[in-house]
Amino acid sequence: MPKKEMEKMQYESVKKLVSHLYEFNQFYHNRMKEANVRPEDIQCLSDVSKLPFMYKQDLRDNYPTGLFTVPQKDVIRYHVSSGTTGKPTLVGYTNGDLDYWSEALARSLTSVGIGKDDTMQVSYGYGLFTGGLGLHYGAERVGATVLPSGTGSTERQIELMVDLGVTVIACTPSYLIHIGEVAEKMGIDIRRDTKLRKAVVGAEPWTESMRAHIESSMGVKAYDIYGTSEMAGPMFTECEERKGIHMQSDMVYVEIIDPETGEVLEPGQKGEMVVTMLKKEAFPLIRYRIKDLTCLLNDECPCGRTSPRIERIKGRSDDMLIIRGINVFPSQVEHTLMQIPEVGNQYMIIVNRKGSLDEMIVQVELKNEAFSDKMTDMMMLKSKIEAEMKKYLNIAVKVDLKEPETLPRFEGKAKRVIDNRVL
Ligand code: DLL
């Protein structure tokens, strides 16, 4: 759809949503009153910036169903996200919500060339987490054959992948790497012995270097998939061009703001993503601050889709570590490590406070061929990695080299940071 028409459509959706919630929902009514905004103040799309923000705290304060806007009888599904702090977030879905969520995923999967001829192994968790069921319904809608593996029993998953000629896998990037390692141990070469050709990976930050590693070691093309439980679950992916994630504009209105001032930023400027969901029924969101850091891309995608695109998520503003006053994202650590040929797939970041000083230790698992019993070789390698870290991150980091296969593996989202300062 041409950009102008698309914006008109988004404006009409926002206008309808805001008027409806102002009139029929106490929470939204009060919020808008406090901010001194009325539905008639929204005269054009950019007027959305007049509306007050919504925060995770609002979801917690209204747990479990205080922000639902339909009667219980119309809610047909719950998903629950297990926040690491505070109460979990409960999301409810009407029939219509499940329909548009599946539609979003069907479009996304189509845009990466997945369809009827594919057999898709869904190795995201099924259950309260949105990953498994979300991808499952999307894949069925495009007519793919779905293998609902969920997480775990990795060897069995690999056997099924071989036996059933699985062509696409959907899972977290950390689980995909683990699957690759287990396959190798079973004597299975994913390139040679399986039909796997695509991977739809996300639910956690990953880097271009990780993509290069996955693709060269497994012979698949890996696509980034993004979403959050508050939005519905996994929803949006890159297209075949892999130049940013297409945020389907009839479903979501995206703003990028300066996290400090709340001011709306221009395309190309990096900041925190704020979403207004345009089609949700049971659990709407207006200007919800997701905390993910990215920017809107302003060039046109060569695929021809006109929907706004966001750059790969760099991390969450609340994941950012401040080490001796310097901002460090776990994704920067990963990127640096992946450039070093001796380094394997797994790492862990540990932050301690020693007296008044922060100390960052990076545990790095080495590749088999790089690990040696010779103390001097290991000391040299350690210094080399520390020097790379210092160059790229601008702070001194202690590197702790680990033997292959000694750090934890993850079947769902990886947990790579232990910040002992906040314990
Ligand atoms: O992780 C939904 C999902 C399932 C997305 C499967 C993709 C695939 P939550 O558990 O609520 O929902 O976590 C959402 O995970 O705010 C981001 O910080 C992070 N995240 C999700 N996808 C990506 C991605 C699901 N592609 C939170 N890159 C989000 C980076 C991601 N971070």
Side-chain angles (χ1 to χ4, degrees):
M1 189 183 270
K3 199 167 169 225
K4 270 226 157 97
E5 271 175 55
M6 196 170 70
E7 287 177 357
K8 187 165 167 267
M9 173 191 71
Q10 288 188 307
Y11 170 65
E12 276 157 15
S13 300
V14 167
K15 183 102 187 130
K16 209 166 115 195
L17 178 75
V18 169
S19 309
H20 179 76
L21 293 178
Y22 184 80
E23 193 162 342
F24 295 109
N25 185 275
Q26 202 59 50
F27 170 84
Y28 290 95
H29 184 88
N30 293 346
R31 264 300 153 84
M32 283 165 66
K33 256 199 135 165
E34 279 157 26
N36 209 11
V37 207
R38 298 174 60 84
E40 48 276 25
D41 296 329
I42 312 301
Q43 301 271 342
C44 61
L45 195 52
S46 58
D47 280 346
V48 168
S49 67
K50 294 178 181 166
L51 294 163
F53 290 124
M54 265 175 90
Y55 301 88
K56 183 94 174 174
Q57 194 56 43
D58 294 320
L59 274 43
R60 294 205 177 110
D61 291 347
N62 291 284
Y63 177 83
T65 55
L67 291 181
F68 286 19
T69 49
V70 297
Q72 169 71 33
K73 67 177 170 47
D74 293 337
V75 176
I76 62 163
R77 168 104 63 87
Y78 289 136
H79 279 286
V80 182
S81 121
S82 57
T84 40
T85 51
K87 289 210 180 80
T89 306
L90 176 77
V91 183
Y93 304 72
T94 61
N95 226 325
D97 288 330
L98 289 184
D99 186 58
Y100 99 87
W101 182 22
S102 304
E103 169 71 20
L105 279 160
R107 286 189 210 162
S108 292
L109 294 175
T110 303
S111 76
V112 298
I114 295 168
K116 282 188 187 329
D117 296 332
D118 285 296
T119 300
M120 181 156 150
Q121 183 158 357
V122 179
S123 304
Y124 281 113
Y126 277 69
L128 294 178
F129 180 55
T130 53
L133 284 166
L135 263 306
H136 184 110
Y137 278 72
E140 281 188 352
R141 189 162 292 196
V142 296
T145 312
V146 183
L147 176 63
S149 312
T151 56
S153 309
T154 307
E155 293 195 359
R156 189 167 151 72
Q157 296 220 21
I158 295 166
E159 282 161 14
L160 289 170
M161 182 189 284
V162 175
D163 296 346
L164 303 180
V166 166
T167 55
V168 185
I169 187 162
C171 60
T172 60
S174 27
Y175 193 37
L176 187 54
I177 285 171
H178 181 50
I179 290 175
E181 290 174 344
V182 175
E184 204 180 313
K185 269 199 233 146
M186 292 165 72
I188 290 173
D189 178 342
I190 297 220
R191 286 169 172 278
R192 187 193 58 208
D193 305 325
T194 75
K195 294 211 170 90
L196 199 68
R197 61 185 180 96
K198 289 187 177 177
V200 183
V201 294
E204 63 185 8
W206 59 307
T207 54
E208 278 306 314
S209 334
M210 188 64 92
R211 167 145 51 198
H213 169 76
I214 289 173
E215 297 195 338
S216 63
S217 61
M218 294 187 184
V220 295
K221 256 186 128 177
Y223 300 89
D224 199 6
I225 180 162
Y226 173 77
T228 75
S229 19
E230 299 93 321
M231 291 163 78
M235 291 188 81
F236 306 122
T237 59
E238 300 170 311
C239 62
E240 287 279 17
E241 299 289 336
R242 305 195 298 175
K243 292 193 164 90
I245 296 166
H246 284 271
M247 303 293 282
Q248 296 165 27
S249 45
D250 54 334
M251 299 189 176
V252 60
Y253 176 63
V254 178
E255 296 167 282
I256 306 293
I257 61 159
D258 178 325
E260 303 288 319
T261 63
E263 183 200 338
V264 177
L265 300 176
E266 293 295 315
Q269 291 183 298
K270 286 191 204 306
E272 192 188 299
M273 181 153 57
V274 173
V275 294
T276 299
M277 300 305 289
L278 304 177
K279 289 212 163 132
K280 289 189 86 181
E281 292 172 348
F283 184 76
L285 292 174
I286 292 186
R287 297 204 91 203
Y288 180 63
R289 290 184 66 160
I290 298 191
K291 301 256 177 193
D292 286 329
L293 298 169
T294 181
C295 68
L296 278 166
L297 298 169
N298 43 16
D299 57 332
E300 275 171 25
C301 186
C303 78
R305 289 178 184 80
T306 51
S307 47
R309 281 170 302 138
I310 54 164
E311 198 178 68
R312 174 190 278 287
I313 305 282
K314 185 176 173 195
R316 301 173 59 81
S317 53
D318 47 11
D319 271 356
M320 187 179 76
L321 296 162
I322 304 181
I323 314 283
R324 299 195 289 276
I326 296 185
N327 300 348
V328 179
F329 284 98
S331 57
Q332 292 173 297
V333 173
E334 178 178 305
H335 181 74
T336 314
L337 290 176
M338 292 293 132
Q339 313 298 316
I340 303 170
E342 292 89 346
V343 169
N345 300 323
Q346 307 292 337
Y347 65 93
M348 196 72 144
I349 300 168
I350 295 156
V351 187
N352 297 319
R353 178 154 290 151
K354 279 214 154 167
S356 60
L357 267 192
D358 299 328
E359 172 193 69
M360 183 163 143
I361 301 168
V362 182
Q363 298 181 330
V364 179
E365 205 178 275
L366 294 178
K367 285 189 183 143
N368 265 325
E369 57 274 25
F371 194 78
S372 143
D373 290 338
K374 270 203 206 142
M375 199 62 171
T376 45
D377 287 356
M378 289 297 93
M379 290 308 285
M380 269 166 63
L381 183 54
K382 174 174 148 69
S383 309
K384 171 176 147 181
I385 302 174
E386 284 177 344
E388 283 298 303
M389 290 278 176
K390 171 103 206 206
K391 195 164 86 190
Y392 195 70
L393 305 178
N394 244 334
I395 53 161
V397 167
K398 272 195 189 161
V399 167
D400 180 7
L401 298 182
K402 296 281 179 197
E403 280 185 49
E405 293 185 49
T406 49
L407 288 180
R409 266 59 180 162
F410 302 94
E411 292 172 352
K413 294 183 192 243
K415 181 164 175 19
R416 300 204 188 271
V417 179
I418 301 173
D419 192 343
N420 292 317
R421 298 172 303 178
V422 292
L423 291 180

